[in-house]
Amino acid sequence: MWNDTKDKQLESFINQWAPTMKQSYVKYNGTDSLKTSVGTTYPDDLSKVSVEGTNSSIGWSKTGKGNYSYNVVAIYNYDGTRPPLPNHITYFFTFHDGEPIVLVDQSRDGTPNLLETKNTKVKESFNAIVDGSYKADSGASSDTSDTKTDDSASKETVTDPKMIGTMVYELCTHNTNLQSLEFLSVYTSGGRYWIGTGTSASNVGFTIDGNTVHYWTRRYNEETDNTDEIEHTMSIEDLEKQFYSTADQKQYVQSIANGMPDIDGE
C-alpha cells in the first residue's frame, strides 16, 4: 500500500502545497523523532493519543500494513508562528482498514486527539498518491477558500487556555461585558486551570482534554447546607459556536486573553 515512490510523491506534494498555506513542514525521516513546539514527540507519543475521541490503536508502519487500527506511513509537522503560541499542525498519513485516512493534531494541552483533516487538497492528493493517479503538478495550484480554512493555526480551533477560559467564564457567568472581564486571569491549581478576577467566588475551574472542556460550577444544597460542585463537559467546537463564531466575538475573546498575565500556579 505504501512504498518509497509514493513517499517521495507525498513529499513533493507537501513541498508544493505548504507555501500556498504560508507554512513549512518538517518530515519524520523514519529515524529521528519529530518534536512539535508544544512538546509532543512523534511517532513516540502515538501510544498516548486518542483518535476521533476513541482509544483506537495507532502507530508507525512503513508499509501501511501494520497491526494497528491506524497504520501511519508519513508524518509532517509545522510549528506555527502566529499567536497564540506555541501552536502546531501535525499531519499523520495513515491506513485504516486498508483505506487512506489523513489525521491532524493541533492540541496544546491534555491528551492529543487526532481528527480527520478537513483539508480537501490534502485528502484528495493522498488518495491519488495511494491509488496511483497523482500528478506531480496537481498539488501546486493555489488553494481555494474552502481548502484554506482547514488545519492552519489561523483556523478557529482554539487551544489557548486563556481563550478557552474566557469562553468558559462567559458561559458560566453569562457575562459578555468587556469592561467587567478586563481583570480576568488564568492560573493552575489542583490539576485544573482557574479563571476569575481574583476572588474564590468568581473563579471557575476547567480542564482541557483533547477537544473536550470539563468545567465546574457551584450550587447550594439546602439539604446539606453545603455548596456542591457540579462537573460539566462541552466540546471546544460547541464552545466556539456560542462565543467564537463571529468576527466581533473573535476579536473580543482574543483581546481579553491578550490582556491577561502569564498563566501561573498557585
Side-chain angles (χ1 to χ4, degrees):
M1 291 188 290
W2 198 250
N3 54 39
D4 289 342
T5 298
K6 293 180 179 181
D7 192 65
K8 290 177 181 177
Q9 287 179 332
L10 177 60
E11 184 173 9
S12 175
F13 159 72
I14 294 292
N15 290 339
Q16 293 176 35
W17 164 79
T20 71
M21 302 292 287
K22 295 182 172 59
Q23 298 166 356
S24 177
Y25 284 80
V26 176
K27 175 186 177 183
Y28 171 57
N29 61 14
T31 304
D32 302 311
S33 297
L34 200 59
K35 186 171 183 178
T36 74
S37 60
V38 301
T40 46
T41 303
Y42 294 115
D44 312 59
D45 287 342
L46 285 175
S47 61
K48 305 173 184 177
V49 308
S50 61
V51 180
E52 301 287 354
T54 72
N55 293 322
S56 298
S57 63
I58 180 170
W60 177 255
S61 172
K62 188 175 181 179
T63 64
K65 294 183 179 180
N67 296 321
Y68 301 100
S69 179
Y70 290 85
N71 295 288
V72 181
V73 295
I75 307 173
Y76 285 83
N77 179 69
Y78 162 73
D79 287 333
T81 58
R82 287 179 291 181
L85 298 174
N87 61 68
H88 71 111
I89 309 166
T90 310
Y91 282 108
F92 303 86
F93 295 85
T94 79
F95 286 91
H96 176 56
D97 295 331
E99 298 296 322
I101 299 289
V102 184
L103 301 174
V104 63
D105 169 33
Q106 298 181 91
S107 57
R108 296 177 65 193
D109 297 281
T111 301
N113 184 33
L114 279 51
L115 304 172
E116 184 174 3
T117 181
K118 296 178 183 177
N119 191 301
T120 55
K121 177 68 72 175
V122 173
K123 290 195 290 188
E124 290 173 358
S125 296
F126 184 49
N127 289 343
I129 290 170
V130 170
D131 67 26
S133 62
Y134 176 74
K135 295 182 180 179
D137 60 349
S138 64
S141 59
S142 297
D143 279 8
T144 58
S145 59
D146 63 335
T147 60
K148 206 160 187 174
T149 58
D150 165 53
D151 307 301
S152 70
S154 61
K155 174 183 177 290
E156 309 308 343
T157 298
V158 176
T159 56
D160 182 3
K162 294 180 183 178
M163 295 172 67
I164 291 174
T166 300
M167 290 186 282
V168 169
Y169 195 81
E170 289 182 278
L171 176 67
C172 293
T173 64
H174 308 288
N175 190 338
T176 57
N177 185 294
L178 180 63
Q179 293 289 66
S180 63
L181 294 185
E182 62 182 345
F183 298 110
L184 283 176
S185 62
V186 175
Y187 64 93
T188 59
S189 178
R192 298 179 188 175
Y193 291 107
W194 295 86
I195 183 167
T197 57
T199 64
S200 59
S202 74
N203 292 341
V204 176
F206 67 98
T207 61
I208 304 168
D209 184 10
N211 195 43
T212 301
V213 178
H214 300 256
Y215 62 98
W216 287 262
T217 59
R218 302 178 183 90
R219 182 179 62 188
Y220 176 67
N221 188 325
E222 293 183 357
E223 293 183 2
T224 63
D225 194 30
N226 291 319
T227 300
D228 296 335
E229 193 176 52
I230 304 169
E231 181 178 0
H232 312 267
T233 60
M234 178 178 284
S235 69
I236 293 179
E237 182 181 28
D238 287 341
L239 197 61
E240 290 176 357
K241 287 178 181 177
Q242 290 191 48
F243 302 105
Y244 202 76
S245 61
T246 69
D248 287 343
Q249 287 177 326
K250 292 172 184 176
Q251 183 178 6
Y252 174 75
V253 170
Q254 290 169 2
S255 67
I256 295 297
N258 290 339
M260 292 183 190
D262 292 340
I263 296 175
D264 199 2
E266 184 182 66

